[in-house]
Amino acid sequence: MTRPRGCVAAALGVACATALLTAAPVTAAPLRGGGPAAAAADPYFPLSGNQGYDVGHYDLDLDFTPQTHELTAAATISAKAERRLARFALDYSGPPIERIVVDGRAATYRRDDRKLTVVPAEAVAPGQGFTVEVRYRGRPEAIDDPALGLYGWINTDDGAVALNEPDGARSWYPVNDDLSDKATYTFHLTTPTGVTALANGERQGPPLVAAGRTTVTWAMARPMAAYLAMVAIGNFEVNRSLVGGIPNVTAYDPAIDGDDGFLHRTTGQAVEWGAARFGRYPFDSMGGIIDPTEAGYSLETQSRPVYDSPPDEGTIVHETAHQWFGDSVTPRSWQDIWLNEGFATYVEWLWQEEHGGPTAQQTFDGHYATPAADPFWQRETGDPGRDHIFDYDLVYVRGAMTLQALRRTIGDQDFFHLLREWGERHRYGNAQTCDLLRLAEEISHRDLGPLFQAWLYTAAKPSEEAAP
C-alpha cells in the first residue's frame, strides 16, 4: 500500500510551519508499512530505503559463533511489488553474499557500497507478492559514524548485540530501511549450546538442540521499523514474569555486578503506569536487556530495550515510553525525531511529577531560564540536522519543553486526551509533526500553528508570550 499523502513539504525538509498551514488533510496511517514507491528519500539519510515494493515480513536465520564472531545467515524477505520490478534494491553492507534466490529461481546481483541491487530471473509484476532469499556468511561489523557514534551489529566479548538506530540494520541483514516500510519479523538464532540468544517479541516453542548447537526462535508480530530490530547473543541471566497478563522478559550479563531485579520490576511498573495514561501497551511482551558494549547508550528496541549498563529509573521510564512514542508510532522521517525523544523525555517529567519529584512545569522553568544567547536555543528542534538527531538539549529537552508549552496552552484535559489519541490513531504506523498539530487543533479547537512555529521551527528562545 502507498504511504499517506499530505504535509509533504515538511517531509522534504521545507520549514514545517508552512506545510502545517497549507497541506491537504492526512489520512490515518496504515497498520502495515507505507509503500516506498511513492516516498521521497529521507532528507537526513537519502541513501536509505528503496522504492517499488512493500515488505511484509523478514525471516532471519542467523547462526552465530561468539568465539570467532562468524555469522552464517539466510534472510528471507516477503514483499509485494508496487510496480513492475525488472530489478530492485535493498540496503545492505554486511558480510559477503553466497547466493540470492527470487521466487525459487537464482537471481543475479550487484553490490555497491551500502546498496544491493537484485535482478530476478523474471520481472515481478505489479501487485504480485514475491520472496527474496539472501544467503551470506562472514563477520558483521558495526558502523562507526563520527557524529552518530557506534551502531549496527556490535561484537562483544561473549557474543554480539544489534543496535540499529538510525540506519544500522544493513550491517547484518538485507533490508528496505525506509521508516514507513514497517514489517513483522521472525528470528531463528543458532549458537553454541549454553549461549543465550534473545530478540524482539516472543519466543516460539522450546529451544532445539542438535550437535552441540541450540536454536531459539523469536517473533515480532507487530509491524516494526528496521532501526528497532534487535538481537542480543551472549551470557545472560534471564528473568520472566507476567505483568497484567503480558510476558515481561528481562536479561542481564552476569559480568555486571548483579541485578536485584530492579530492571524487571521497574519495567513492569512503567508499562502499567504508561498504559493508564497513553492507552493500552502496544506489544505482546515487554522487557529489557543489560549488555555492556562500546556503544555507551540505551536504545528502545521494540518490546525489549537494550541498556549498555544498569539503568536508573528515569532511563527505564524513557525507553519504556518509546514503546508508544517512536516504536508503535514512528516518525516518517528522521527530521521529526523530536516526536520520539521529546515525548519520551516528557514522559520522564510526568513520572517525576507523579512520583514525588518536580512538576513538569518546574522542570520546564529550569530549562527556560537558560539565557537567550546560549547555544541551547540556536538550532531548530523540528529540523535539527542529520548530525544532531541525538543532541540531548536540542531534541530531547526542547522537544519535551514543546509538549509542556502545548499542555499549558490547551489544558490538561485536552493534552492527555491528545497523548492517548495520538497512540490510537497512528498505532503501528507512521506520523509527523504536521499530524500532531492537526490532531491537537482538532481536540482543542485552537490555532496552534504559532506555538509549533515558535518552539520547533525557530532557532531562538521563544518569547514570554510563547512560553507557558
Side-chain angles (χ1 to χ4, degrees):
M1 60 188 71
T2 56
R3 67 168 57 180
R5 301 301 183 93
C7 290
V8 175
L12 295 176
V14 178
C16 192
T18 301
L20 293 172
L21 299 175
T22 62
V26 177
T27 58
L31 293 184
R32 279 291 173 89
D42 189 284
Y44 292 175
F45 296 90
L47 297 180
S48 294
N50 307 280
Q51 298 186 7
Y53 61 91
D54 181 17
V55 176
H57 187 75
Y58 293 93
D59 190 291
L60 304 179
D61 194 335
L62 309 176
D63 188 317
F64 184 71
T65 302
Q67 292 84 349
T68 62
H69 295 127
E70 289 290 318
L71 176 69
T72 300
T76 302
I77 304 164
S78 301
K80 184 176 182 180
E82 296 184 326
R83 65 189 185 201
R84 183 179 183 274
L85 297 177
R87 65 184 64 224
F88 56 89
L90 292 159
D91 300 294
Y92 184 66
S93 58
I97 292 172
E98 295 183 332
R99 68 168 180 162
I100 298 180
V101 174
V102 178
D103 287 338
R105 300 175 66 182
T108 59
Y109 62 90
R110 183 183 72 251
R111 295 191 64 171
D112 181 14
D113 190 20
R114 54 184 293 163
K115 286 294 183 183
L116 171 62
T117 301
V118 179
V119 181
E122 182 176 347
V124 183
Q128 177 181 325
F130 65 102
T131 301
V132 185
E133 180 185 317
V134 183
R135 291 189 173 272
Y136 50 103
R137 182 193 304 264
R139 178 173 170 150
E141 298 289 348
I143 299 166
D144 195 355
D145 185 281
L148 305 177
L150 193 71
Y151 62 100
W153 184 278
I154 302 173
N155 290 309
T156 62
D157 291 341
D158 61 355
V161 62
L163 303 173
N164 299 334
E165 191 178 26
D167 64 336
R170 60 183 167 87
S171 68
W172 58 284
Y173 69 99
V175 58
N176 187 31
D177 203 350
D178 182 295
L179 286 174
S180 291
D181 197 5
K182 292 186 173 185
T184 56
Y185 281 72
T186 303
F187 305 87
H188 310 280
L189 306 178
T190 301
T191 62
T193 297
V195 174
T196 301
L198 305 111
N200 309 90
E202 296 72 57
R203 199 176 72 181
Q204 308 296 296
L208 303 177
V209 181
R213 299 186 78 79
T214 298
T215 300
V216 294
T217 297
W218 295 82
M220 169 48 67
R222 306 296 182 180
M224 178 166 67
Y227 82 92
L228 298 168
M230 175 276 297
V231 298
I233 297 170
N235 299 318
F236 294 103
E237 297 289 339
V238 180
N239 295 317
R240 292 183 171 88
S241 67
L242 291 176
V243 177
I246 302 173
N248 182 13
V249 181
T250 60
Y252 72 96
D253 186 334
I256 301 171
D257 287 337
D259 175 45
D260 62 356
F262 180 75
L263 170 63
H264 197 80
R265 292 194 306 274
T266 308
T267 296
Q269 292 165 0
V271 166
E272 290 189 310
W273 177 86
R277 286 150 187 80
F278 317 129
R280 67 177 175 87
Y281 179 71
F283 303 115
D284 300 314
S285 66
M286 68 186 79
I289 298 169
I290 303 173
D291 193 16
T293 70
E294 298 177 13
Y297 56 82
S298 301
L299 184 61
E300 63 270 19
T301 43
Q302 190 157 305
S303 78
R304 194 153 295 113
V306 176
Y307 303 90
D308 183 73
S309 59
D312 59 18
E313 183 178 76
T315 302
I316 297 170
V317 169
H318 182 104
E319 304 305 340
T320 301
H322 273 307
Q323 305 309 306
W324 286 269
F325 307 112
D327 292 17
S328 177
V329 183
T330 306
R332 293 189 201 167
S333 93
W334 288 104
Q335 179 178 319
D336 274 332
I337 190 172
W338 85 274
L339 292 172
N340 288 10
E341 302 301 349
F343 270 76
T345 302
Y346 190 74
V347 171
E348 288 186 71
W349 296 6
L350 290 178
W351 176 276
Q352 293 169 355
E353 182 174 276
E354 296 186 24
H355 291 80
T359 66
Q361 184 63 42
Q362 289 170 330
T363 304
F364 174 98
D365 291 341
H367 292 294
Y368 189 73
T370 304
D374 194 277
F376 182 87
W377 303 106
Q378 301 309 309
R379 297 187 70 90
E380 297 178 14
T381 297
D383 189 4
R386 185 255 189 204
D387 291 350
H388 296 275
I389 58 175
F390 302 132
D391 186 310
Y392 183 72
D393 285 344
L394 171 63
V395 175
Y396 295 61
V397 174
R398 283 182 52 197
M401 292 179 75
T402 301
L403 292 172
Q404 178 61 15
L406 178 62
R407 176 184 177 183
R408 285 297 301 272
T409 299
I410 67 176
D412 276 12
Q413 181 174 341
D414 284 348
F415 180 76
F416 286 101
H417 178 194
L418 172 67
L419 294 188
R420 295 181 72 94
E421 185 65 20
W422 179 249
E424 289 298 324
R425 188 168 297 195
H426 300 287
R427 185 176 290 265
Y428 308 131
N430 299 80
Q432 56 188 352
T433 299
C434 307
D435 301 320
L436 181 66
L437 173 65
R438 289 204 183 99
L439 181 58
E441 291 184 331
E442 173 188 318
I443 290 172
S444 68
H445 306 289
R446 290 172 177 261
D447 175 11
L448 299 171
L451 182 148
F452 276 58
Q453 172 70 38
W455 282 97
L456 296 174
Y457 301 104
T458 303
K461 183 176 181 176
S463 66
E464 293 281 350
E465 291 75 19

